[in-house]
Amino acid sequence: MAANTGRTNAKHIEFHLDNSGGTLTDLTAYTKNIGTVGVTYEEQDVTAYSDGVKNVTIGRADAPLSITFQWDTAVFAHLIALSRVTPLSLDIRFGIRHDWEPGEPCFGITSSATSGYLLKDLTATDTEITASFVVFGATAPAWTTTAHE
């Protein structure tokens, strides 16, 4: 099916994360909420260096993620096996009016020895597990239309 345009629905969003062996694994079935996705930049005021209007320059990027999962032993085992020092590949795929396919939006990063996402925090309640991720290295995650493998 050709890539579509228009709105999407949470049922068409996929979440993929490296496992402890470095293989991108589909965790969509356990995902409850992907939170806010994207790259944000700090603004630094440089008005003192210019005339006329308030002026800014864009600072360094940040792209933290907080993903909430249904409490399940499969996702818990996946997450606790992850290293806190090895960068992970992560891919969030947005299917437009159907399951995701190449040509539709996705956000993430393909890990290397020097870049990726790191698991920062892992917390749980009686019904859900929350995993927080932070960017590691100089490469920022990006929006694309091809999967981050």
Side-chain angles (χ1 to χ4, degrees), residues 1 7 12 16-17 21 24 49-50 60 67 70 82 93 99 115-116 128 139 142:
M1 183 182 285
R7 299 179 182 180
H12 301 306
H16 300 256
L17 177 68
L24 206 58
Y49 303 112
S50 64
R60 298 182 69 173
I67 311 295
Q70 291 287 20
L82 295 176
R93 302 171 185 175
D99 290 342
S115 66
E128 61 190 29
T139 304

Side-chain angles (χ1 to χ4, degrees), residues 12-145:
H12 301 306
I13 299 172
E14 300 176 9
F15 179 75
H16 300 256
L17 177 68
D18 273 351
N19 64 17
S20 59
T23 302
L24 206 58
T25 305
D26 187 353
L27 297 177
T28 304
Y30 310 105
T31 306
K32 189 173 181 180
N33 185 335
I34 62 166
T36 302
V37 175
V39 180
T40 60
Y41 295 85
E42 291 181 27
E43 286 184 2
Q44 298 167 344
D45 187 0
V46 292
T47 304
Y49 303 112
S50 64
D51 290 333
V53 297
K54 181 177 179 182
N55 214 321
V56 298
T57 186
I58 299 297
R60 298 182 69 173
D62 194 14
L65 290 172
S66 184
I67 311 295
T68 305
F69 301 94
Q70 291 287 20
W71 220 123
D72 191 286
T73 54
V75 74
F76 184 71
H78 182 104
L79 293 169
I80 63 169
L82 295 176
S83 167
R84 298 294 175 106
V85 295
T86 303
L88 304 167
S89 290
L90 183 144
D91 198 31
I92 301 171
R93 302 171 185 175
F94 296 84
I96 306 299
R97 302 189 321 196
H98 59 84
D99 290 342
W100 182 88
E101 62 184 42
E104 295 177 336
C106 57
F107 177 82
I109 190 168
T110 301
S111 70
S112 70
T114 59
S115 66
Y117 268 99
L118 290 179
L119 177 61
K120 177 184 169 194
D121 297 312
L122 183 60
T123 59
T125 68
D126 57 341
T127 60
E128 61 190 29
I129 299 168
T130 301
S132 298
F133 300 90
V134 291
V135 177
F136 174 81
T139 304
W143 287 99
T144 67
T145 55

